[in-house]
Amino acid sequence: MRPMNEFEYDRKRRQQWLAGEARAEGVEHRTLLRMLAAGGVLSEDELAPTGRVPAEGTPEPEQAGTSATPVPGIVKPLPPEWFIPRGTNAEMRWDTLRDSCTGFHIPTERFFIRNHTSTPVIDPDAWRLTVTGSGLRGPAVDFDLAGLRRLPATGLSSAVECAGNGRSYFESQQQQNVPGTPWTLGGIGVARWRGVRLAEVLRRAGLRPEAVDVMPIGLDPEYVTTDGQNLGHVRRPLPIGKALDDVLLAYEMNGAPLAADHGAPVRLVVPGWVGIASIKWIGTIEVAAEPLYSPWNTDFYRMFGPDYPPDGGAELAEQVVKSVFELAHDAVLARGRCHRLHGRSWSGAAAIREVEVSTDGGAHWSCARLRDLSHASTWTRWTFDWRPQRPGPYELLARASDQEGNIQPPQAVFNREGYLFGATVVHPVIVV
């Protein structure tokens, strides 16, 4: 039996949405907090099909950590205290990150997983990378892993983030139904990558001046829709300017060879851009003297909706500004005590300039203390000291701005697929 893929999941959710089965009206705020608290965040099976919480009377979800939910096509263990299963994907849990004293980089074993189909296990000794196409001066050129390792090596810290990270908030905060994996904010990770610059490989393959697009193609199973249409291997073109800038062909992650779920033997890392650009398990690179297209830059990963052109907006590239608390939703805090709140903010466009925190739902804002020298395409850790004086529910908010003047708005512009949610996220806590 073929494993469920992303298309099957999204199609089912879309059918439920169109049939009116995805609504769950009448959930009171305190009930919502209680249900979220039961697991830190709700798992996919516990969510209504569009990501809304179940209506009153729905059985309580299990406490986090009581059982592991198997995820089709994922190789590494997924302890429930670290991950939330999301179809063929696994979301990192922010609420337990602080307890483990994780540093700037996310350990490989805790890094989120975004799969379109399933994880292939590839023999690194048999693996080959083929660079081919009309954008080369001569015939196709092959590289093996040993050959790549002999080339000048480069290390960089970079985030990889799913374009749909934060998608569930279109529904839970803005009451806008969107299909797709209902990520909260755990569809991101920052790692230390090591490999060879894509520009170096293209140069050695013999790049023509007329080259305009570079399309990496993955070795994961071909993407077949539920109606039998084979879309081929996951692939998405990059403009030549980006390909020659800061893109890395990575063979190490956090000081060790790549793990299977994270693209072994070699993957692309495209700093600052949506995660679909960072193709995993790369096997072929097509270099073309004409524009290239794939389903992942035409039908998928573009903005559609009332605020975009009828044929859709431009293909997604840079990520937007986001912020997150390293704290459980509905966390219980003692009044009269000073609580040091921890969080992280990031932007695909530029380094983080400032982070502000509100403890009263956005009525007042104060600056957080930045803990890192900020760099584009990674995140900045921050802290904020808060001494609540009265008991009751509170709504925490964090908003960041980057060096190019981008700032998180109170509301994100709707798009049909729920991409690039960058608005401030309400984080409920209870003071007792």
Side-chain angles (χ1 to χ4, degrees), residues 354-372:
E354 182 181 63
V355 178
E356 298 172 286
V357 172
S358 172
T359 60
D360 54 11
H364 303 89
W365 296 87
S366 300
C367 287
R369 177 177 175 268
L370 304 186
R371 297 180 54 208
D372 299 305

Side-chain angles (χ1 to χ4, degrees), residues 164-212:
N165 195 28
R167 175 183 283 124
S168 66
Y169 298 113
F170 276 107
E171 300 178 20
S172 63
Q173 290 194 180
Q174 300 185 182
Q175 292 74 55
Q176 295 168 323
N177 290 312
V178 293
T181 303
W183 301 98
T184 52
L185 285 171
I188 183 175
V190 171
R192 179 69 179 173
W193 311 95
R194 181 176 173 82
V196 57
R197 288 190 177 275
L198 178 57
E200 178 70 16
V201 169
L202 295 178
R203 182 182 68 82
R204 290 174 180 262
L207 191 66
R208 289 177 57 196
E210 295 82 5
V212 295

Side-chain angles (χ1 to χ4, degrees), residues 291-330:
L292 294 173
Y293 301 95
S294 83
W296 288 270
N297 75 331
T298 54
D299 298 329
F300 313 138
Y301 297 98
R302 295 171 61 210
M303 299 289 212
F304 296 92
D307 294 298
Y308 299 95
D311 294 334
E315 59 190 74
L316 300 186
E318 286 182 348
Q319 279 284 4
V320 296
V321 188
K322 295 189 180 80
S323 298
V324 69
F325 288 92
E326 296 179 24
L327 183 69
H329 277 222
D330 207 23

Side-chain angles (χ1 to χ4, degrees), residues 100-115:
S100 62
C101 300
T102 300
F104 184 84
H105 299 106
I106 299 299
T108 302
E109 63 271 18
R110 299 195 63 155
F111 209 89
F112 86 105
I113 298 173
R114 172 68 173 97
N115 282 353

Side-chain angles (χ1 to χ4, degrees), residues 221-302:
E222 293 182 340
Y223 194 99
V224 181
T225 68
T226 53
D227 58 5
Q229 183 182 7
N230 189 330
L231 302 182
H233 293 291
V234 177
R235 61 203 185 279
R236 191 173 191 261
L238 289 168
I240 191 68
K242 181 66 173 177
L244 296 178
D245 182 16
D246 56 357
V247 178
L248 191 72
L249 280 164
Y251 45 72
E252 289 183 5
M253 178 182 184
N254 292 330
L258 285 174
D261 290 305
H262 301 297
V266 176
R267 68 170 297 163
L268 219 62
V269 176
V270 184
W273 281 35
V274 292
I276 182 60
S278 294
I279 297 293
K280 296 193 285 185
W281 315 292
I282 189 169
T284 301
I285 298 175
E286 181 180 358
V287 185
E290 61 281 331
L292 294 173
Y293 301 95
S294 83
W296 288 270
N297 75 331
T298 54
D299 298 329
F300 313 138
Y301 297 98
R302 295 171 61 210

